[in-house]
């Protein structure tokens, strides 16, 4: 049919049905890719038209089509414009409507300047008639594929352009489920009730479809949707006419794809493929995997790779395949790409030169690094929440409830995954904690014993679970009205603090290798050193594998956990000096073995060894568990009302004068042993809980005496620095005086926070801090994020005083704040030399330190790429 024949058709003949265009039809038709050259922007082209312009500019294959800009969209309802649009799409696609060899139909869609909800649905299969439908179905090979889409198009045009009541249409279709019968019923209804029969001419169909889309956009329902989205009531739409090329189902179809595998993050198209004619609504059945496409995913890879380089993001596309050729229908950056995909893309873009390394590092936040390092619960929304506590150690796990360390060890030995549930934990529980998949406590905060041990071991933990009650006698744990028995399954999320009943699915942790690449680049950008808190050779190995540059805190009291607990307990509760000396000798031998293994694992790196800081309540036998009545009596005499502020740290050493010399001799002898094998760790010996310069001077004399004794015995003069932990406000205030005796400071921010606020780190989080955060007094727990105004002010003052006395003094942080991104930024700004954190937070600290340095550089106007 010629253009003249079409214009003479029944639609044009109807008086007043459609007005003549106000300007030449071709002037308002903009082929995909020509919008920008015509000076049109997204407001006129719509989001889809602008996107197709970009795809054409990138040299990517797109579905042939055109845009009628928003200001002229109503003109597509005029016969001349519709006829010109049909001819232009035929020219762009190299096919003609009605050609039996290379069939062509049309699709009409609409877009606004931005992605919004409530747009009218696409109208496809324009150009189908009762006379050509069977031939088209024969080409496709699937009758329902055409009729399902055609029925939807006729239905909408009937209601919004041909004045057929929606209620009449719905009533007629209720008992007509079969697609071909639905089309026949709809055409009959239009003939009887419509303002005109449904036309066969494709241009007339297109004009009616345009009027239907715009009428739907102007409906009360659509206006309400725009008001809900705070959009202008008169917001105009651009219309888009696309070629719908028909081909055999074995070689044709449509689908969606994303550029990267969400599990691996690698470039690998993932999505689904549907055979037949594309619908505006999702098909009622799942699609086929992309691998079943003729040509497989190779058809998509080039387009996706090009788009990623252009958008610098993982991308998603809608596409069509006709005769084994792919054409893009839409493409956009993924709004929330899988984390592994984002990491791999950042590294790929930087390696290809499409992105600077600094920009690649900036793209991955410290929080995302932490998420990659730990397993996560796969939540569906129907989980049975038991309790919510404090997120004490990240990660997720599921296992059977056990109520004692002994039971945890017993079941774990048989391969059972368990969750240790306790009111609180002590050093006695450490072996069971290490054997468990996760830890849950009813008391304590994120700086409590359970939290610190769990983080060091990389175990998920939730602490301070309010309302949780453990009944060891009955073998039950109560969560409000819910009661679980030992052996019942629970699932725990240490990142959110949520605990669920039952066994939930847990994603496997394991970052892609590209994260290591980004972290290596980050290492070259940061100023701050990153060390780990590690107490054993095994923990050192883990820390070094995660990128630690050394050990910033070895807590020697942690070497006396589990079966070694009696060694330190014998020292503390010895009946007389002779018994204490005997106990100290055994302690020295044990520590020598541990130190030798630790130093060998550290290698030629720095290692800060903190001498014993043992709060007595963690090491004294519980009532009724002493070896005899005498030990019970001595233990009772040593118990304190507030042991965290009692006889611990340097105070205990000054009362037990052989304690620190014994530890120091074991350490120096171990250093001499490993040095004989060619390993020379940079040894730093730290005195804990100092408040008085005199305390530090006295303890330093003990250490120097031990070094002299080892030198006399072995002939080896051990090189070491001597320093102290700044964990009391008085120590921070007197930092200048302490620096006269110390070659380094390490800020113990857990205790410094506790003592500055007067908060008990074991109790206040659950009982006070949650309320304070709800009321806006605090934005975060000061035990999780360093308080810059109070605790931070003390640190800043101490840094200035210390460097005024000893300019070369080394300064670091070894509290858990050393693994928090915002706290690390503060440490960088105040001029510390390093941070030290739990081994499993080392990658987080590396990335955070790099981000801090990049921020500083940007603030100073330096290079950013």
């Amino acid at each position: 049919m010629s253009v003249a024949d079409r214009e003479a058709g029944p639609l044009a003949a109807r008086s007043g049905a459609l007005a003549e265009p106000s300007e030449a039809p071709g002037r308002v038709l903009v082929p995909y890719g020509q919008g920008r050259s015509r000076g049109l922007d997204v407001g006129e082209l719509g989001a889809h038209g602008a996107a197709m312009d970009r795809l054409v500019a990138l040299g990517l294959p797109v579905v042939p089509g055109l845009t009628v800009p928003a200001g002229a969209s109503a003109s597509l309802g005029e016969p001349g414009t519709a006829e010109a649009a049909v001819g232009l799409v035929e020219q762009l696609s190299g096919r003609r409507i009605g050609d039996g060899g290379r069939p062509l139909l049309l699709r009409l869609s609409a877009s606004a300047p931005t992605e919004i909800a409530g747009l009218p649905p696409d109208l496809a299969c324009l150009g189908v008639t009762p006379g050509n439908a069977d031939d088209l179905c024969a080409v496709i090979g699937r009758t329902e594929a055409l009729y399902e889409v055609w029925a939807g198009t006729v239905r909408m045009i009937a209601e919004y352009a041909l004045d057929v009541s929606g209620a009449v249409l719905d009533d007629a279709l209720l008992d007509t489920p079969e697609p071909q019968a639905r089309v026949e019923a709809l055409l009959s209804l239009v003939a009887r009730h419509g303002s005109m029969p449904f036309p066969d001419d494709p241009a007339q169909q297109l004009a009616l479809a345009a009027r239907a889309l715009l009428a739907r956009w102007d409906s009360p329902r659509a206006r309400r949707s725009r008001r809900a989205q705070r959009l202008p009531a008169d917001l105009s739409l651009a219309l888009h006419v696309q070629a719908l090329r028909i081909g055999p189902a074995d070689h044709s179809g449509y689908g969606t794809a994303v550029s990267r595998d969400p599990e691996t993050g690698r470039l690998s198209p993932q999505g689904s493929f549907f055979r037949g004619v594309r619908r505006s609504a999702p098909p009622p059945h799942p699609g086929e995997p992309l691998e079943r496409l003729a040509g497989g995913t190779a058809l998509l890879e080039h387009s996706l790779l090009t788009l990623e380089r252009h958008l610098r993001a993982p991308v998603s596309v809608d596409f069509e395949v006709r005769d084994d050729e792919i054409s893009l229908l839409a493409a956009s950056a993924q709004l929330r790409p899988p984390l592994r995909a984002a990491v791999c893309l950042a590294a790929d873009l930087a390696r290809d030169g499409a992105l600077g390394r600094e920009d690649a590092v900036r793209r991955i936040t410290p929080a995302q690094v932490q998420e990659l390092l730990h397993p996560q619960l796969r939540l569906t929304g129907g989980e049975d929440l038991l309790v919510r506590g404090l997120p004490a150690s990240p990660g997720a796990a599921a296992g059977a409830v056990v109520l004692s360390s002994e039971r945890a060890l017993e079941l774990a030995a048989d391969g059972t995954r368990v969750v240790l549930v306790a009111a609180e934990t002590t050093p006695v529980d450490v072996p069971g904690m290490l054997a468990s998949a996760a830890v849950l406590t009813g008391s304590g905060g994120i700086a409590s014993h359970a939290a610190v041990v769990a983080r060091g071991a990389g175990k998920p933990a939730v602490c301070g679970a309010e309302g949780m009650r453990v009944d060891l006698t009955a073998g039950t744990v109560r969560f409000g009205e819910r009661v679980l028995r030992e052996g019942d399954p629970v699932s725990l999320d240490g990142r959110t603090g949520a605990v669920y009943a039952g066994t939930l699915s847990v994603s496997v942790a394991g970052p892609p290798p590209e994260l290591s690449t980004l972290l290596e680049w980050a290492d070259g950008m940061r100023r701050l050193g990153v060390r780990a808190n590690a107490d054993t050779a095994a923990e050192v190995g883990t820390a070094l594998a995660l990128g630690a540059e050394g050990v910033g805190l070895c807590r020697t009291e942690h070497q006396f956990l589990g079966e070694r607990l009696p060694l330190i307990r014998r020292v503390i509760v010895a009946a007389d000096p002779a018994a204490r000396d005997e106990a100290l000798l055994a302690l020295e031998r044990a520590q020598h073995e541990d130190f030798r293994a630790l130093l060998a694992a550290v290698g030629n790196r720095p290692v800060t060894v903190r001498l014993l800081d043992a709060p007595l309540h963690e090491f004294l036998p519980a009532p009724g568990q002493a070896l005899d009545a005498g030990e019970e009596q001595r233990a009772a005499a040593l118990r304190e009302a507030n042991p965290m502020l009692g006889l611990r740290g340097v105070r205990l050493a000054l009362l037990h004068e052989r304690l620190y010399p014994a530890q120091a001799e074991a350490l120096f002898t171990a250093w001499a042993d490993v040095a004989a094998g060619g390993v020379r760790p940079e040894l730093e010996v730290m005195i804990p809980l100092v408040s008085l310069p005199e305390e530090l001077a006295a303890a330093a004399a003990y250490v120097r005496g031990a070094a002299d004794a080892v030198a006399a015995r072995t002939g080896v003069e051990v090189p070491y620095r001597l320093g102290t932990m700044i964990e009391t406000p008085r120590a921070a205030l007197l930092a200048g005086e302490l620096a006269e005796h110390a070659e380094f400071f390490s800020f113990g921010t857990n205790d410094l926070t506790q003592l500055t606020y007067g908060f008990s780190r074991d109790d206040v989080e659950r009982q006070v801090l949650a309320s304070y955060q709800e009321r806006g007094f605090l934005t975060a727990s000061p035990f999780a994020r360093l308080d810059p105004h109070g605790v931070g002010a003390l640190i800043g003052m101490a840094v200035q005083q210390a460097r005024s006395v000893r300019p070369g003094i080394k300064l670091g942080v070894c509290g858990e704040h050393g693994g928090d991104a915002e706290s690390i930024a503060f440490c960088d700004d105040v001029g510390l030399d390093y941070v030290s954190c739990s081994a499993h937070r080392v990658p987080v600290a590396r990335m955070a330190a790099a981000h801090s340095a990049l921020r500083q550089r940007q603030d100073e106007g330096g290079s950013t790429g």
Side-chain angles (χ1 to χ4, degrees), residues 412-655:
D414 293 333
T416 302
R417 291 180 63 82
V418 299
V419 175
L420 178 62
V421 180
E424 60 182 349
T425 62
T426 70
V428 176
D429 298 311
V430 169
M433 295 172 69
L434 299 180
S436 300
V439 178
L440 170 63
T441 66
S443 63
I446 59 177
S448 64
H449 175 270
V452 171
V453 172
R455 280 195 295 271
K459 305 278 186 180
V462 173
C463 296
E466 190 170 2
M468 189 186 89
R469 298 291 181 268
V470 176
D471 188 334
L472 293 174
T473 303
T476 60
V477 55
R478 179 181 293 274
F479 302 92
E481 299 299 317
R482 296 283 300 276
V483 177
L484 297 185
R485 304 195 65 82
E486 196 165 41
D488 288 345
V490 294
S491 301
L492 178 153
D493 188 337
R495 183 174 55 89
T496 65
V499 182
Y500 303 95
T503 302
L504 304 185
S505 175
V506 179
S507 67
V508 178
E514 284 77 2
L515 179 62
S516 295
T517 299
L518 290 171
L519 287 170
E520 288 172 6
W521 294 344
D523 290 340
M525 299 167 195
R526 59 183 167 87
R527 183 194 64 82
L528 272 177
V530 177
R531 302 189 193 178
N533 301 340
D535 309 320
T536 65
E539 291 178 5
V540 170
T542 299
L544 296 181
L546 292 170
E549 297 165 331
V551 173
L553 176 63
C554 169
R555 295 154 291 201
T556 56
E557 65 276 3
H558 281 194
Q559 297 173 346
F560 297 102
L561 303 175
E563 61 185 23
R564 284 195 169 182
L565 183 59
L567 288 174
I568 187 62
R569 185 175 288 170
R570 283 170 54 197
V571 173
I572 295 172
V573 297
D576 52 54
R580 180 169 294 115
D581 289 343
E582 182 181 346
L584 281 169
L585 182 60
L587 177 146
E588 185 177 345
R589 289 172 181 159
Q591 291 236 283
H592 175 257
E593 295 176 12
D594 290 338
F595 287 144
R596 186 166 53 190
L598 178 88
L599 296 175
V602 168
N604 300 327
R605 300 178 182 88
V607 53
T608 304
V609 177
R610 183 179 74 184
L611 299 181
L612 196 70
D613 182 15
L616 290 186
H617 70 297
E618 293 186 0
F619 291 90
L620 291 174
Q625 294 184 2
L627 295 177
D628 52 43
E631 185 175 282
E632 180 75 49
Q633 185 176 5
R634 292 190 297 277
L638 288 170
R639 290 196 181 92
E640 299 169 315
N642 194 344
M644 294 302 287
L645 301 181
L647 188 59
R648 54 175 287 210
V650 70
R651 304 164 192 170
L652 181 65
L654 293 175
L655 293 182

Side-chain angles (χ1 to χ4, degrees), residues 1-297:
M1 183 181 291
S2 69
V3 171
D5 292 336
R6 287 172 180 166
E7 289 180 347
L11 183 60
R14 291 181 60 87
S15 174
L18 294 171
E20 285 300 314
S22 57
E23 57 179 309
R27 296 282 301 275
V28 298
L29 305 179
V30 183
Y32 287 159
Q34 294 186 16
R36 188 176 302 174
S37 64
R38 296 193 186 188
L40 302 176
D41 60 18
V42 68
E44 297 157 302
L45 294 172
H48 174 76
M52 299 304 278
D53 248 27
R54 287 193 297 270
L55 295 178
V56 172
L58 290 171
L60 296 176
V62 300
V63 172
L66 58 85
T67 295
V68 183
S73 57
S75 68
L76 189 59
E78 301 166 353
T81 305
E83 185 68 41
V86 171
L88 182 54
V89 173
E90 287 179 332
Q91 179 183 346
L92 293 170
S93 64
R95 297 188 181 203
R96 288 188 56 80
I97 296 175
D99 186 337
R102 289 166 54 82
L104 174 70
L105 298 175
L106 301 177
R107 174 189 293 107
L108 180 66
S109 63
S111 72
T114 59
E115 298 295 336
I116 64 173
L119 287 174
D122 295 356
L123 296 181
C125 292
L126 298 171
V128 179
T129 70
N132 65 18
D134 289 342
D135 291 339
L136 292 170
C137 289
V139 172
I140 297 170
R142 298 185 177 191
T143 300
E144 74 285 351
L146 180 75
Y147 279 99
E148 282 180 353
V149 180
W150 188 18
T153 295
V154 175
R155 165 71 175 75
M156 185 165 160
I157 291 175
E159 179 175 359
Y160 288 96
L162 295 176
D163 304 324
V164 182
S165 164
V168 170
L169 293 167
D170 291 339
D171 287 343
L173 296 177
L174 280 175
D175 300 322
T176 317
E178 197 274 321
Q180 186 170 354
R182 290 173 75 88
V183 171
E184 293 170 355
L186 286 166
L187 293 176
S188 176
L189 281 172
V190 171
R192 295 199 311 271
H193 300 286
S195 56
M196 61 176 285
F198 196 88
D200 287 347
D201 182 80
Q204 295 173 26
Q205 290 185 15
L206 176 61
L208 289 171
R211 299 185 73 184
L213 278 185
L214 294 176
R216 170 74 174 260
W217 181 243
D218 198 40
S219 67
R221 178 180 179 182
R223 288 179 174 274
R224 287 195 300 272
S225 174
R226 290 200 288 281
R227 282 197 300 271
Q229 299 176 73
R230 298 182 179 179
L231 296 170
D234 59 351
L235 181 67
S236 297
L237 293 179
L239 297 182
H240 312 284
V241 186
Q242 293 177 345
L244 182 57
R245 296 165 294 181
I246 302 301
D250 289 345
H251 299 274
S252 305
Y254 63 98
T256 60
V258 295
S259 56
R260 295 194 170 246
D261 186 325
E263 295 298 323
T264 67
R266 303 298 170 75
L267 181 69
S268 175
Q270 305 288 307
S272 53
F273 170 65
F274 301 89
R275 301 184 187 276
V277 181
R278 186 164 76 100
R279 318 156 53 103
S280 58
H285 53 83
E288 301 176 42
L290 295 180
E291 288 74 15
R292 294 187 186 175
L293 272 169
T297 58

